[in-house]
């Protein structure tokens, strides 16, 4: 899976009419289907014109007869996306053949009601790929050629496999064959043109859009009266009823597949919403705990503020403060320790100022050394006294 580069994708969509909606649609699809990648390539339309378009190429998972296969596809996004439906193709590898059906023609182009009835307001790539996966699970678009399969293409109809015995479940690899251009009967954007006989759409009743797939059983067809050599009205009626029935069954199955894909999307959305609800509840509970702690802290701070205000009022009422009585101790031992510490700190200051006096030439070296010896001796005694007091009081030495 390639890492999504939003900036690169934005640059690729710079020529699109609605790059914001297209980018959102593409990223939603790529986050779910990791087998797809995006790139910009040149697309050739039916009239020979070309245009640089973004496409999603790779594989999508398809479940068929209990097994999951990776079907290679390519989805081309028009520069008017999401207003116009994308153009989709099956891209078989060298070991595959396209299985022509109501959903895929011999060029590999995909036909789905979802594409035909594309609605820009509620249609997106994620639902389209899900419908492809479900539809291809019912009617696989490709099959393995097999080592001994012979393949011939008549000039009057699209190619089909020779026999049904060579059919194997689709099993694609990552090697893709060249991409076909849009088939006949479509305009420059690959959309069906009015009145064109497009496979799967607009075909008259009684006319099959494609030859039967490998292993399939064709419906009843009008037979020639062996006695007169003519087709009776009964034969035509039976053929038309059979064609209508097959078409209705196919449309119903397509609707069922589409509804199933929509249900899966709704279930996944419901799961995401439930997970989001749990996270929101956890955040709310944490915020409530923080609010209670903040309320307690505010109460404590207000009490301390009142204490400070009372202390300031009491200080305002006092005329003068005795410095020696400003700090009091609870025991004589602590007072002795406090006095020793204060005196030792004073000796530190005296030593500093003696050095400054020597440097300034106020005193000579002999006087400096004499006074320093006396101060150092006294400082040593005070430090020893403080250590004894700390040991006696149970403090750390």
């Amino acid at each position: 899976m390639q890492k999504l580069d939003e900036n690169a994708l934005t640059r690729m969509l710079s020529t699109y009419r609605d790059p914001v909606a297209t980018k959102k649609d593409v990223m939603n699809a790529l986050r779910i289907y990791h087998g797809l990648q995006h790139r910009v390539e040149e697309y050739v339309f039916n009239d020979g014109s070309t245009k640089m378009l973004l496409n999603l190429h790779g594989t999508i998972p398809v479940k068929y007869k209990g097994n999951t296969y990776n079907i290679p596809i390519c989805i081309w996004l028009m520069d008017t996306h999401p207003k116009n439906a994308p153009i989709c193709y099956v891209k078989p590898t060298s070991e595959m053949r396209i299985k022509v059906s109501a959903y895929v023609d011999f060029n590999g182009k995909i036909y789905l009601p979802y594409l035909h009835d594309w609605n820009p307001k509620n249609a997106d790539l994620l639902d389209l790929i899900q419908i492809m996966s479900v539809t291809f699970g019912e009617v696989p678009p490709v099959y393995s050629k097999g080592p001994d399969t012979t393949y011939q293409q008549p000039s009057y109809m699209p190619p089909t496999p020779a026999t049904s015995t060579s059919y194997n479940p689709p099993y694609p690899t990552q090697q893709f064959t060249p991409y076909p251009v849009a088939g006949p009967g479509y305009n420059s954007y690959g959309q069906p043109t009015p009145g064109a006989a497009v496979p799967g759409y607009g075909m008259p009743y009684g006319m099959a859009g494609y030859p039967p797939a490998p292993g399939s059983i064709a419906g009843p067809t009008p037979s020639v009266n062996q006695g007169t050599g003519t087709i009776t009205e009964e034969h035509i009626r039976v053929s038309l009823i059979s064609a209508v029935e097959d078409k209705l069954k196919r449309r119903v199955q397509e609707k069922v597949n589409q509804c199933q894909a929509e249900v899966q999307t709704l279930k996944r959305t419901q799961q995401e919403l439930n997970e989001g609800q749990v996270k929101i509840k956890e955040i709310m509970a944490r915020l409530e705990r923080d609010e209670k702690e903040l309320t307690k802290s505010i109460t404590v701070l207000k009490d301390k503020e009142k204490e400070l205000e009372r202390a300031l009022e009491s200080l305002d009422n006092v005329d003068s403060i005795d410095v020696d009585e400003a700090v009091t101790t609870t025991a004589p031992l602590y007072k002795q320790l406090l006095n020793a510490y204060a005196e030792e700190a004073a000796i530190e200051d005296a030593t500093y100022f003696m050095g400054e006096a020597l440097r300034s030439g106020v005193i000579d070296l002999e006087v400096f050394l004499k006074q320093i010896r006396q101060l150092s001796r006294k400082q040593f005694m005070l430090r020893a006294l403080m250590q004894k007091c700390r040991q006696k009081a149970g403090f750390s030495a």
Side-chain angles (χ1 to χ4, degrees), residues 290-366:
D290 294 343
E291 184 181 6
K292 292 179 180 179
E293 292 178 0
L294 288 174
T295 303
K296 292 180 181 179
S297 300
I298 290 173
T299 304
V300 172
L301 289 174
K302 287 182 178 179
D303 294 339
K304 294 295 183 181
E305 183 180 7
K306 292 179 180 179
E307 290 180 6
L308 289 174
E309 290 176 353
R310 289 194 296 269
L312 290 174
E313 291 176 357
S314 63
L315 288 175
D316 292 338
N317 297 330
V318 177
D319 297 334
S320 61
I321 299 176
D322 187 1
V323 177
D324 294 332
E325 299 297 332
V327 180
T328 59
T329 58
T330 58
L333 180 62
Y334 298 154
K335 186 174 183 180
Q336 185 179 11
L337 178 61
L338 179 62
N339 292 335
Y341 179 79
E343 191 172 354
E344 195 270 340
I347 290 175
E348 285 284 345
D349 294 340
T351 302
Y352 171 76
F353 285 109
M354 288 288 293
E356 290 295 318
L358 178 63
R359 186 176 62 82
S360 303
V362 176
I363 59 176
D364 56 9
L365 181 60
E366 184 179 356

Side-chain angles (χ1 to χ4, degrees), residues 105-106 111 183-186 192-204 207-210:
D105 65 8
F106 63 94
Y111 303 92
Y186 287 79
T193 56
V198 182
Y201 300 102
M203 294 294 293
M207 295 181 64
Y210 304 97

Side-chain angles (χ1 to χ4, degrees), residues 89-155:
Y89 284 86
V90 175
K91 298 181 63 176
T93 64
S94 58
E95 300 176 354
M96 299 179 184
R97 292 290 187 190
I98 294 176
K99 181 182 178 182
V100 178
S101 66
Y103 308 112
V104 181
D105 65 8
F106 63 94
N107 282 329
K109 190 167 185 177
I110 299 172
Y111 303 92
L112 292 172
Y114 192 81
L115 289 171
H116 186 264
D117 303 328
W118 182 269
N119 187 350
K121 296 182 179 179
N122 52 27
D124 56 28
L125 293 176
L126 191 58
D127 289 346
L128 172 61
I129 298 173
Q130 289 173 347
I131 292 173
M132 281 187 190
S133 180
V134 174
T135 304
F136 291 162
E138 298 291 336
V139 183
V142 293
Y143 64 95
S144 299
K145 289 191 299 184
D148 299 325
T149 302
T150 58
Y151 187 80
Q152 296 179 354
Q153 178 177 349
S155 59

Side-chain angles (χ1 to χ4, degrees), residues 14-35:
S14 60
T15 59
Y16 277 62
R17 298 183 185 178
D18 193 352
V20 176
T22 306
K23 176 183 175 182
K24 181 180 178 182
D25 200 6
V26 171
M27 293 189 66
N28 288 338
L30 293 180
R31 287 193 181 101
I32 300 299
Y33 293 95
H34 300 164

